[in-house]
Amino acid sequence: MIITLLTDFGTSDYFVAAMKGVILGINPNVQIIDISHHIPPHDIKAAAFNLLVVYKDFPEGTIHVAIVDPGVGSSRRPLLVVTSKYFFIGPDNGLFSYICEREVSCHIYHLKNQEYFRPPLSSTFHGRDIFAPVAGALSKSINPDNLGELINDYVKLGQLALTQLDDKTLKGFVLHVDHFGNCITNITREDLTEMDIHRGVKLVVNQYEIKSFRKFYTEESTEKLFALWGSAGFLEISALCNSAANLLSIKPGQELIVEKL
Amino acid sequence: MIITLLTDFGTSDYFVAAMKGVILGINPNVQIIDISHHIPPHDIKAAAFNLLVVYKDFPEGTIHVAIVDPGVGSSRRPLLVVTSKYFFIGPDNGLFSYICEREVSCHIYHLKNQEYFRPPLSSTFHGRDIFAPVAGALSKSINPDNLGELINDYVKLGQLALTQLDDKTLKGFVLHVDHFGNCITNITREDLTEMDIHRGVKLVVNQYEIKSFRKFYTEESTEKLFALWGSAGFLEISALCNSAANLLSIKPGQELIVEKL
Amino acid sequence: MIITLLTDFGTSDYFVAAMKGVILGINPNVQIIDISHHIPPHDIKAAAFNLLVVYKDFPEGTIHVAIVDPGVGSSRRPLLVVTSKYFFIGPDNGLFSYICEREVSCHIYHLKNQEYFRPPLSSTFHGRDIFAPVAGALSKSINPDNLGELINDYVKLGQLALTQLDDKTLKGFVLHVDHFGNCITNITREDLTEMDIHRGVKLVVNQYEIKSFRKFYTEESTEKLFALWGSAGFLEISALCNSAANLLSIKPGQELIVEKL
């Protein structure tokens, strides 16, 4: 059984280890895998993106725990999301929004059963006191119905899908800027086929036009800025040996237009 | 069986991996958990604090290896500390001082039996050559008496407990400044009851007075600086979206006065 | 079974976790150990050094996966290197050059069998799509002959051994600068015996002369700069509480002369 952790806790303090200790105290046979603990503090969208693009690489039954939780201690709800193959645990603030939008089936539970929390419940560290012990319990096949109650609503981030403006034009946005400065858009291969690219496509972002498409980063070309299919399945805007985000002054959320020629 | 690692080695070099390789070569069935490798270089007190607040979150029998070791290669002694539930391995420089002060029973061994060291013994990397292989041996249930000899003394940091000045006044200090700038004091719930706080308490630190107590960080309040019970069980001085340590010019070790009104 | 990972991916993004998920999906019983993910981007020599000095600390049969791969997506070959005790997986760009130079027996395979790759094969992330799944397969005892075909050539970095200039003089170089600024040379105990050091040795580097040898860092001495045997088995040039690399303006690759007096 595998539990993954994705947080903005950093790795200087004891926070992540406390969660691991609590989990292993409940189930010593679990494997704990770090996705990242270096999400920018409070950046829910960055965490949501990273989780979206990696969760399916783990085996069926994996429990993904994601904690970027500026509202810890307030009334925001702790959640368990159950899809056909995975479990997700974390606060109700949009972290699982992209995943729920894409999954056919999502059962969402409000974690209420304090029996599975670590006492005494602090108001500053629900990672250790709620999310870790619930993940530990779940890894021992506790039924989700015992952990909380089914709910129908959850906090949503903006939608992931492109907007069709007309036959030839789509509106999208920059989902994420990675630490190389690559700008990962929300454009997928379903939005833009190989045939479309073969016929010609223009991306317009921040008044720049990008018409060059590459297969890999170091492909020979004279174009400084180009698009390529990133490993996460989204179209990325990149610059060779440079930060496309800096060159184009792009931040996450930046709107862009796709014109099929 | 779980072995945790807490060091100031950073994660850029091979140091931590060498320790893990050595441990797994001795006992492939052990789970190795990183507490942190980003303790500020040579900062024994920061390591002692992080270990103190997390060690009990691990299952009974866990072996905690802590290495912040500016004196490596000199005559400082390598130690094994055995408490009722845990093992601690590392150099004799105060790393386990807070824990021994709080635990009822501490047996302290000077690790002397070179049979359990990794040859050739270097004079610069006892993490790999002494502490890792001894932890590996211990995880295979080697008796501590075979690893070294019982001693009665060990290097102590300043005491963790508050000093009672009079009926209404206590003297404490700042134990740790975390990377958000929260100042974690040595004040516990036994020093300051809910009743005390209800009646009113004033903290005086660096000529500032703090009278506001919160339950969680984002609680609505007009006070910029406030105290709250941190997740480690100590009272913290915090500032919303700001570094309390910077605002108050506080460094670890800073004295503070608690006045019960 | 143990698989280690050494990359320049950093730990902010999902890249490392994707590799782990893929491996665990193939073989849930494997232990995955991080060597480092903070190799400077594209610094093949730094990765080659770190791997060289740590690989033997792991148990026989360990699979070492190393990915610093600026040429990903181009025609550079994916390799499997099999030595008498270990497996190495990564791109053909010199990463395993130092190891092959030192090992008596190295069988090198060009990984060609796409059956063991993760579909669809991206052109930007072979860590997830080639190296991780091949490591997973190998951990389940797939025969290397099924993974690719034996080859005789591979990309080599400059040789690791010293050059003998005359009876008393050797020419070497700085192999690596660690994050404390210690300059790790390619001089080993076979090049420079205790007897040589006892008789007197002078290191000349960047017009500086170093004649002081220490056993450990904090040994008392008046010399600011000194040499000592580092934990990796190479002679290091160090400065107490200072960066020798900065003091001497040394970068990796810097030539040095060893004069036996």
Side-chain angles (χ1 to χ4, degrees), chain B residues 150-254:
Chain B
L150 270 172
I151 55 175
N152 290 311
D153 63 316
Y154 61 93
V155 173
K156 286 175 186 153
L157 304 179
Q159 70 159 22
L160 200 57
L162 293 180
T163 309
Q164 187 96 31
L165 296 184
D166 62 42
D167 253 26
K168 293 284 193 186
T169 321
L170 298 159
K171 189 172 77 176
F173 64 96
V174 172
L175 197 49
H176 184 66
V177 173
D178 75 17
H179 80 278
F180 300 104
N182 298 312
C183 302
I184 295 138
T185 75
N186 65 333
I187 305 166
T188 69
R189 283 197 166 86
E190 278 143 53
D191 305 313
L192 212 55
T193 64
E194 285 306 297
M195 185 61 83
D196 291 331
I197 293 172
H198 182 74
R199 283 183 188 144
V201 170
K202 186 167 73 176
L203 301 178
V204 185
V205 55
N206 240 359
Q207 300 175 319
Y208 287 83
E209 296 189 354
I210 291 150
K211 294 182 189 167
S212 170
F213 282 74
R214 291 195 190 183
K215 289 219 185 303
F216 55 94
Y217 291 113
T218 55
E219 199 176 302
E220 271 185 48
S221 164
T222 54
E223 294 292 332
K224 202 162 68 172
L225 282 155
F226 52 92
L228 88 177
W229 290 110
S231 54
F234 294 104
L235 196 72
E236 297 182 17
I237 300 170
S238 297
L240 195 59
C241 302
N242 217 321
S243 163
N246 284 350
L247 290 175
L248 298 175
S249 305
I250 287 180
K251 289 186 180 160
Q254 168 72 48

Side-chain angles (χ1 to χ4, degrees), chain A:
Chain A
M1 183 59 71
I2 296 165
I3 295 177
T4 76
L5 303 180
L6 173 67
T7 77
D8 62 351
F9 293 167
T11 51
S12 307
D13 294 294
Y14 67 95
F15 307 130
V16 173
M19 292 182 61
K20 292 181 180 178
V22 167
I23 290 169
L24 293 167
I26 295 168
N27 186 353
N29 297 316
V30 88
Q31 274 225 48
I32 305 174
I33 301 291
D34 299 306
I35 291 182
S36 175
H37 300 292
H38 299 287
I39 298 296
H42 302 178
D43 191 340
I44 293 163
K45 285 187 174 181
F49 169 78
N50 274 285
L51 190 59
L52 173 70
V53 297
V54 82
Y55 77 100
K56 286 185 183 169
D57 279 320
F58 283 84
E60 191 168 341
T62 295
I63 299 165
H64 294 291
V65 179
I67 309 174
V68 174
D69 195 12
V72 62
S74 73
S75 62
R76 70 93 191 87
R77 299 177 297 189
L79 295 188
L80 163 64
V81 177
V82 184
T83 67
S84 62
K85 292 192 180 173
Y86 300 102
F87 301 94
F88 301 87
I89 292 173
D92 182 21
N93 58 21
L95 284 170
F96 311 124
S97 162
Y98 295 151
I99 289 166
C100 289
E101 184 185 336
R102 289 194 155 196
E103 287 278 345
V104 177
S105 143
C106 272
H107 295 282
I108 301 169
Y109 293 84
H110 177 187
L111 296 169
K112 282 195 160 174
N113 191 347
Q114 299 219 5
E115 193 187 321
Y116 293 100
F117 298 174
R118 172 190 181 278
L121 180 61
S122 75
S123 50
T124 55
F125 193 5
H126 287 185
R128 178 191 63 190
D129 299 343
I130 296 181
F131 301 120
V134 167
L138 201 59
S139 78
K140 291 174 80 177
S141 303
I142 299 292
N143 192 312
D145 292 324
N146 292 332
L147 296 168
E149 61 189 35
L150 271 172
I151 55 175
N152 290 310
D153 63 317
Y154 60 95
V155 173
K156 286 174 185 154
L157 305 178
Q159 71 158 20
L160 200 57
L162 293 179
T163 309
Q164 187 97 32
L165 296 183
D166 62 41
D167 254 26
K168 294 286 194 185
T169 321
L170 297 159
K171 191 173 75 178
F173 65 96
V174 173
L175 197 49
H176 185 66
V177 172
D178 74 18
H179 80 277
F180 300 105
N182 298 311
C183 303
I184 295 139
T185 74
N186 64 333
I187 304 167
T188 69
R189 283 195 166 89
E190 277 143 52
D191 304 314
L192 212 57
T193 65
E194 285 308 297
M195 185 60 83
D196 291 332
I197 292 171
H198 182 75
R199 282 182 188 146
V201 170
K202 189 167 73 177
L203 300 179
V204 185
V205 54
N206 240 359
Q207 300 176 317
Y208 288 82
E209 295 189 356
I210 291 150
K211 295 180 188 168
S212 171
F213 282 76
R214 291 194 189 183
K215 290 220 187 301
F216 55 95
Y217 291 113
T218 57
E219 198 176 301
E220 272 187 46
S221 164
T222 54
E223 295 291 334
K224 201 163 68 173
L225 281 156
F226 52 91
L228 88 176
W229 290 110
S231 55
F234 294 104
L235 197 72
E236 296 182 17
I237 300 169
S238 296
L240 196 59
C241 303
N242 217 320
S243 162
N246 284 348
L247 290 175
L248 299 175
S249 304
I250 287 179
K251 289 186 180 159
Q254 167 72 46
E255 195 174 279
L256 56 80
I257 300 294
V258 183
E259 289 179 36
K260 301 181 184 183
L261 305 178

Side-chain angles (χ1 to χ4, degrees), chain B residues 8-9 14-15 18-19 42 67-74 76 118 120-131, chain C residues 178 180 182 184 189 213-219 226-238 240:
Chain B
D8 62 352
F9 293 168
Y14 67 95
F15 306 131
M19 292 182 60
H42 303 179
I67 309 174
V68 174
D69 195 11
V72 63
S74 73
R76 70 93 191 88
R118 172 191 181 275
L121 181 60
S122 74
S123 50
T124 55
F125 193 5
H126 287 186
R128 179 192 61 190
D129 298 344
I130 296 180
F131 302 119
Chain C
D178 75 17
F180 300 105
N182 298 312
I184 295 138
R189 283 196 166 87
F213 282 75
R214 290 195 190 182
K215 289 218 188 301
F216 55 96
Y217 291 114
T218 55
E219 199 176 301
F226 53 91
L228 88 176
W229 290 110
S231 54
F234 295 104
L235 198 71
E236 296 183 16
I237 300 169
S238 297
L240 196 59

